[in-house]
Amino acid sequence: MLIKIYAFLLLLQASLCIDLTYYVEEGQNPGSYIGDIAADTHLVNGVPLKDHSLFWFQQLQKGNESSSKLFNISKSGKLYTAQVLDAESLCKYNTECFRMVEVAVRNRESFVKILEIKIIIKDVNDNRPDFQSKEFHLEFSESDMKGTTKFIPNAIDRDVGILNSQLKYRLRKEMSEPFTLSVSRKHDGSTELGIVLEEKLDRELKDSYHVQVVANDGGLPCVLDVSISVADINDNRPVFSQNIYNITVNNGHLIYIPVVILSAKDLDSGKNGRISYYFSTKSSALDISYFELNKTSGELFLHQKFFTEPKKSYKLLIEARDEGIPPLSSTAIVLVNVINQQNNAPDIDINFISLTTNDVASIFEGVKVNSFIAYVKVTDNDIGQNGEVSCELEHDKLQLQSLGKMKYKIVIKSHIDREIDNFLHFTITCQDNGTPPLRTTKNFSIQVMDVNDVHPQFTKDTFKFLIFENEEPNFPIGFINATDPDLDSGSELTYSLLNNQGYLLPFEISNFGFISTTQSLDREQQDVYKFKVLVKDNGTPSLNNTANVVVEVIDKNDNAPYFTFPSVDPFNLDVHYHPQGKNDITALRASDRDSHVNAFLQYEILGGNDKQLFTVNLYTGVLSFSRPVYQNDAGSYNLQFVVKDSGAPVLSATSTLSLTLTVSNKTSKMFTAVHKQSDDKIHINLLIIMLVATVIVALVVVISITVCIVRRNNLRNNQYTSGVDGSKLFSQNNLSEYICGQVVPQYDVPVTVVSEQEHNRSSQSTLLRQDPQLVKKSGQSWKIPPPGTQLPNTMQVAAQDTKTELM
């Protein structure tokens, strides 16, 4: 009965179609455990342990496939690998790799269920990417423009997993090489690689490049060596070694020995650089008839008919032409001088101690004076005076010294500085004593190599900069400029800051000499920074120099003023008033951390002064009584003060002074109501002062006008009585009018009219006190005072007389 119940349960579970999915990595050894089907399907759950052996699990096979069996299943339901699994051979690229296994479950001999088991084979990155070939050749032309792309093969990764087959490419090259790598995806998911040209190429500068394309899938990379050649275009003309060939030959010159070998070079390659020589069509046909030209070698030979002609000089135009399309050419002049004696020009041969590329000699600057740099040997096979040769070298740095007959050495005559001359061009001239004398001239060049012998130099000794406080970090301050005329590493400069002040500098300097802040500056903490800048080159040995830097921090109005007295808010102050005491009560004190106009403080009373009893000095802050104190003024006052700076924007601070005022018994009593009403009117003392001032001003105006009128009349009368020309007094008269015009004050006040009698007395007093210099004496002429002469103060004299008479 129990067995029937078990069978019923198994059939019920089989009807539910339970499937399983397992994962296994490729490459595991045969017999590797994958999973327990019996446990994972829960088919035997609820079945006693002793009856578990009654359930069998068996893999179903399609036909006879034992040879390709991938998995084994034990009777108890455990799943193992049957062989080494290879995802690349079992599955397609970039797809999920899995196999379906059908498992039959039986209870003894009866069928229970068919399980569909999905086993996913996880790809392992066990294949490194690989290019089909290790090397690849590309060709760019000199005419290719920027952006030209040449395609190259991509790498292949045999892994089928998506992640393991994803390749990343990069281009390995020198920084100066003008190429980049282009990576793009095709519609089918494959990668297309290309080498992109970043700038035009010049084959004459460099004709080949070598780069590497590196492919990586996260494991070991693979490398494709790409060699790039530059195809030539015909963009260079042939260039002769010299523009004019001046040749001298005797009339016995052999026809199979070339008179001269023309040499031209073309920087192009192939046909574009292949040169042929021709007689120019502009040459004289008669001159050409005496010569033969080898168009390949450039050798110029004499023709057999040459000796019968009396002409002694010939001018030939030789054209060097390349084979490009279109061909380019250049022309040289060959002057052939024929002499009738067997006399040959000297031949100069020079050997330098050291040679650089392109057969150019070189020496280092700073070489010692009298140092030997070249050996010169002169050859002249003529006999007699025709073979006697003297040579000379004219140069301010080099000297030619004799070592014996026809032998010389070149030595250093004075100090050589590459920063002045990087090439020494000199000419050696040798001349024999024949008739006519033959001369050979050869030009040579010596390259002067650099040594690190010059210190970097700043444009000035001290650099001064200004910066406002509170700027953001990395704010630029200024540029420090230094130069070094040396070459290569000797001219590469590095800047750094030197600080001997004992505090951390809030600045930094770049390798280009730009100084910037590392933090915001506060002028109230420090207003001036002084430090040094060190510049050094990268030569061997390294040379350096320093310059002073002064950074002044400009103030901003970022600090509000604050009261130092009163020191607390509110501040209690007891004041006792006595009539014989001083009016000053106390002095307010305030401070401001800013400077200059931002720290210029002004004091004011904001409130609490309803009786207008107190006043404060705007600038000194002195608090005093603004009027007489009466007994009814005694009491408590809460005075509110404000202190303001003069910056922009204006900042301020307030404080309260609780003042208790007591008065002595001698203080005036309280005013009546009438007195209180008079507070709103003008005080009687002020009224009296205003009236007196008005009278005085009126008197001064009247007296001044009277003095001017009298003086003008006197001058006019003197002019008529003495017969003096009025034009001579023009300047004096104008001066008097100017003085009169200046002494009259310009006030908007009433003018008091003076009686005629007082006016006459005033005029007479004025006449008696005139300066003698202005009165003409007998036998004298008028003299105008020189500029700068102080004129008499007639206004004061007139005023004095008038005052006396009025009294």
Side-chain angles (χ1 to χ4, degrees), residues 365-420:
E365 64 173 331
V367 62
K368 294 181 179 180
V369 177
N370 294 326
S371 296
F372 171 73
I373 62 171
Y375 171 69
V376 179
K377 183 178 181 181
V378 182
T379 304
D380 194 333
N381 295 324
D382 296 336
I383 59 175
Q385 292 185 346
N386 294 341
E388 296 177 359
V389 180
S390 60
C391 298
E392 61 181 12
L393 186 154
E394 293 184 1
H395 199 274
D396 58 342
K397 301 293 184 183
L398 304 176
Q399 185 178 8
L400 189 66
Q401 295 180 355
S402 176
L403 294 177
K405 185 178 181 180
M406 312 288 276
K407 296 178 181 180
Y408 301 88
K409 68 176 180 178
I410 299 177
V411 297
I412 301 298
K413 183 168 64 174
S414 61
H415 176 72
I416 296 176
D417 189 352
R418 188 210 61 82
E419 284 71 34
I420 298 177

Side-chain angles (χ1 to χ4, degrees), residues 596-648:
H596 303 298
V597 68
N598 296 328
F600 185 74
L601 304 181
Q602 299 181 14
Y603 301 86
E604 296 177 8
I605 299 178
L606 280 181
N609 192 22
D610 298 336
K611 293 185 177 182
Q612 301 298 315
L613 180 59
F614 305 98
T615 182
V616 64
N617 188 287
L618 183 64
Y619 303 112
T620 63
V622 174
L623 177 65
S624 59
F625 294 109
S626 62
R627 62 174 176 81
V629 179
Y630 305 105
Q631 290 185 0
N632 64 337
D633 289 325
S636 297
Y637 297 87
N638 289 325
L639 299 178
Q640 296 180 359
F641 299 97
V642 63
V643 60
K644 302 178 180 179
D645 60 25
S646 301

Side-chain angles (χ1 to χ4, degrees), residues 270-284:
K271 291 184 177 181
N272 298 330
R274 193 177 302 157
I275 300 174
S276 300
Y277 301 88
Y278 305 89
F279 287 110
S280 173
T281 56
K282 296 183 179 181
S283 298
S284 170

Side-chain angles (χ1 to χ4, degrees), residues 443-626:
N443 299 318
F444 302 95
S445 295
I446 300 178
Q447 184 179 5
V448 181
M449 307 298 291
D450 183 58
V451 296
N452 194 30
D453 58 343
V454 181
H455 287 263
Q457 295 295 323
F458 289 97
T459 54
K460 51 186 175 181
D461 297 331
T462 301
F463 294 85
K464 295 183 179 181
F465 304 107
L466 299 176
I467 181 175
F468 281 98
E469 64 174 335
N470 302 331
E471 297 291 353
E472 294 292 332
N474 297 323
F475 189 84
I477 293 206
F479 174 63
I480 303 295
N481 188 18
T483 58
D484 194 327
D486 290 322
L487 296 179
D488 301 327
S489 60
S491 62
E492 298 173 358
L493 303 182
T494 302
Y495 296 87
S496 59
L497 301 181
L498 300 179
N499 179 23
N500 297 324
Q501 304 299 325
Y503 54 81
L504 183 63
L505 283 176
F507 307 106
E508 63 182 3
I509 188 169
S510 69
N511 284 333
F512 300 101
F514 288 97
I515 297 181
S516 58
T517 60
T518 59
Q519 64 186 40
S520 181
L521 303 181
D522 189 353
R523 191 210 64 82
E524 286 71 40
Q525 292 185 1
Q526 186 165 348
D527 58 347
V528 177
Y529 294 88
K530 295 181 179 181
F531 52 92
K532 291 182 179 291
V533 172
L534 173 69
V535 61
K536 63 179 181 179
D537 58 30
N538 295 332
T540 304
S542 179
L543 302 178
N544 60 69
N545 204 345
T546 59
N548 297 314
V549 177
V550 177
V551 179
E552 182 177 351
V553 183
I554 304 175
D555 184 52
K556 285 185 177 180
N557 194 25
D558 58 345
N559 291 278
Y562 58 92
F563 282 96
T564 59
F565 180 82
S567 57
V568 294
D569 188 11
F571 184 84
N572 298 320
L573 180 65
D574 296 331
V575 178
H576 180 74
Y577 175 78
H578 192 277
Q580 282 73 34
K582 296 181 179 180
N583 280 339
D584 292 345
I585 301 173
T586 185
L588 305 179
R589 293 290 181 263
S591 182
D592 195 321
R593 296 182 62 200
D594 291 321
S595 64
H596 303 298
V597 68
N598 296 328
F600 185 74
L601 304 181
Q602 299 181 14
Y603 301 86
E604 296 177 8
I605 299 178
L606 280 181
N609 192 22
D610 298 336
K611 293 185 177 182
Q612 301 298 315
L613 180 59
F614 305 98
T615 182
V616 64
N617 188 287
L618 183 64
Y619 303 112
T620 63
V622 174
L623 177 65
S624 59
F625 294 109
S626 62

